[in-house]
Amino acid sequence: MRLLFFVTLLGFSCFCNEVFGVHISNLSGSCFRCLCHVAGCDMTRGCSDGYCGPFFISRVYWVDAGKITLPDDDPERQEAFEDCARDYHCSIRIIESYMAKFGKDCNHDGVTDCFDYMMINYHGGRGCSKPLFLTQSGRRWLKSYLECRF
Ligand SMILES: *[C@@H]1O[C@H](CO)[C@@H](O)[C@H](O)[C@H]1NC(C)=O
């Protein structure tokens, strides 16, 4: 009886996440298009060097985001990460969930906006304050970001 109640609760909370999604301030559609642009936004991209899909998502990022999957998939299935991260819409759910946990004002300008989300996608949530111009790939991301934001 107690077990049944627990299982029902678990099922219900998963159902809630699926239906309502998450809303993160300033993580808008145009921000998603820009985050995709800086990462290459290649819709046909598979996985290479541990990064998958149009947003270049790593397995660690996916795990930290809470192992988001395609509808009805099992997060423990071997290819669950790859299949979600290769899919644009599933990737968006990974990023939303990641930013719900790690979203913050990385550059300390007083707002949490798309620039911060871009920094987080580059560095990961924990070390996101490090300036992007310090590395060559970081400078490439900065340049791409300016192309799609302004
Ligand atoms: C979102 O961006 C706007 C405009 O830059 C800013 O005023 C607002 O504080 C931001 N939201 C958060 C949570 O920082």
Side-chain angles (χ1 to χ4, degrees), residues 11-80:
F12 184 67
S13 62
C14 292
F15 177 74
C16 278
N17 281 339
E18 205 57 54
V19 172
F20 298 113
V22 264
H23 175 77
I24 315 295
S25 177
N26 292 326
L27 192 54
S28 59
S30 70
C31 180
F32 272 115
R33 282 189 290 279
C34 200
L35 293 175
C36 196
H37 178 70
V38 296
C41 211
D42 180 355
M43 297 295 176
T44 63
R45 192 174 185 279
C47 299
S48 56
D49 302 327
Y51 293 87
C52 293
F55 291 94
F56 242 71
I57 292 174
S58 72
R59 184 178 284 272
V60 172
Y61 186 103
W62 175 75
V63 169
D64 285 345
K67 299 186 178 178
I68 304 296
T69 66
L70 289 168
D72 301 324
D73 200 355
D74 171 6
E76 303 310 322
R77 191 179 62 84
Q78 189 58 37
E79 302 276 305

Side-chain angles (χ1 to χ4, degrees), residues 24-26 105 110-114 116-117:
I24 315 295
S25 177
N26 292 326
D105 181 14
V111 290
T112 301
D113 59 14
C114 197
D116 299 297
Y117 300 135

Side-chain angles (χ1 to χ4, degrees), residues 136-149:
Q136 194 179 6
S137 58
R139 285 192 291 275
R140 201 159 53 234
W141 274 48
L142 271 177
K143 187 167 165 281
S144 303
Y145 182 82
L146 295 176
E147 285 162 10
C148 54
R149 281 313 274 181

